[in-house]
Amino acid sequence: RRRADRWARRPPLESAGMGKLAASILSADLAHLADEVKLVEPYADIIHVDIMDGHFVPPIALGTVFVASLRPCTDRVLHGHLMVDAPEASFEELADAGLDVVSFHHEAVGDPEPAIAKARATGMRAGVTLNLETPVEAAFPYLEEIDDLMLMSIHPGWSGQELNPDVYPRIEAAREEVDRRGLAVDIEIDGGVKVENAQRAVDAGATVLVSASGIYQAPDKVEAARALAEIATRGRPTQPASDGTR
């Protein structure tokens, strides 16, 4: 696949900041992956692919072959969340497989700047992911260089964990900084996102809801995706402007 084709497929940057649902296939039935993706396509803007190496996190999961297999099956944005050591070593092959966006962990690279530049050189959008233990301010020096900031709300590696509410003030801090600078950077929440807690994440300032078990382990996958997409796109309540009168 030519790099120019990959670039042309990317949504316009102006779409950043709009509410979106990312369906994470980590909890999907991998034996019927194309069908699982098609099931939620009417509501998911993004298909989220978790890639793990057994080093940065204990499990080994998914990888380039899944991206290449999915690419002909969907026109949705494919977003790779790399939970791996030395993530930049995989960028070229992931881009060639058809990945649109790559997010890597700040904790895996030390200095994110070279990895961001390498991701962009392949034609992909770039994002930085932070674990709960990493101060959210660690990403602030790079906000002007990235397309999304992903904040983990669980410990990375396993689907099905409960969302840790410590993520909410972190989302608020990131949203405040992004808005203060007037940047079109998506703020993503990843981990334990379900219909019952999604609105609180959006109210805190998240623009992308990443959900795995919240969709694929729900009694009705399609209804869960529909409800989550509605919450994501509805966004935060608009506060009326004050004119100083009562």
Side-chain angles (χ1 to χ4, degrees):
R1 188 183 298 270
R2 292 182 306 161
R3 188 166 296 169
D5 293 338
R6 295 199 304 267
W7 189 272
R9 194 178 60 243
R10 292 166 60 195
L13 287 174
E14 287 75 15
S15 66
M18 297 169 58
K20 309 177 190 73
L21 173 63
S24 173
I25 61 171
L26 188 62
S27 290
D29 179 354
L30 298 183
H32 302 94
L33 187 53
D35 293 336
E36 293 277 77
V37 168
K38 289 295 181 186
L39 203 61
V40 301
E41 255 190 358
Y43 306 107
D45 306 279
I46 300 162
I47 303 302
H48 181 99
V49 184
D50 286 310
I51 299 172
M52 311 179 200
D53 64 356
H55 296 283
F56 184 77
V57 291
I60 298 174
L62 309 182
T64 305
V65 65
F66 283 89
V67 175
S69 297
L70 274 177
R71 185 70 281 169
C73 301
T74 182
D75 62 359
R76 294 295 183 264
V77 171
L78 294 182
H79 187 164
H81 172 196
L82 272 58
M83 290 167 267
V84 304
D85 289 330
E88 60 273 28
S90 304
F91 289 171
E92 190 69 39
E93 66 180 65
L94 286 167
D96 288 341
L99 200 68
D100 297 298
V101 189
V102 63
S103 289
F104 57 87
H105 276 258
H106 188 295
E107 300 86 0
V109 297
D111 179 10
E113 199 159 9
I116 294 168
K118 185 165 184 180
R120 290 211 181 282
T122 68
M124 295 188 292
R125 289 203 204 179
V128 169
T129 304
L130 298 181
N131 286 337
L132 279 160
E133 297 80 10
T134 302
V136 69
E137 292 81 8
F140 288 1
Y142 312 101
L143 287 177
E144 269 128 18
E145 303 171 43
I146 60 177
D147 297 292
D148 70 85
L149 173 61
M150 189 185 303
L151 299 177
M152 297 302 299
S153 39
I154 59 173
H155 292 291
W158 295 272
S159 181
Q161 300 177 62
E162 292 296 318
L163 182 148
N164 187 327
D166 289 349
V167 73
Y168 297 127
R170 292 165 58 78
I171 295 172
E172 290 169 354
R175 167 54 54 203
E176 182 178 356
E177 185 66 13
V178 166
D179 289 350
R180 184 183 72 81
R181 299 198 209 174
L183 301 174
V185 175
D186 273 320
I187 298 176
E188 307 200 16
I189 177 173
D190 183 5
V193 175
K194 295 180 171 60
V195 172
E196 52 266 31
N197 56 32
Q199 187 63 55
R200 186 172 177 190
V202 170
D203 290 345
T207 53
V208 178
L209 303 176
V210 181
S211 184
S213 60
I215 294 174
Y216 286 113
Q217 299 302 316
D220 186 330
K221 301 172 188 178
V222 174
E223 174 55 25
R226 186 206 63 77
L228 283 165
E230 181 180 339
I231 293 168
T233 55
R234 187 168 61 223
R236 292 181 288 172
T238 302
Q239 299 298 322
S242 173
D243 60 1
T245 61
R246 294 184 180 272

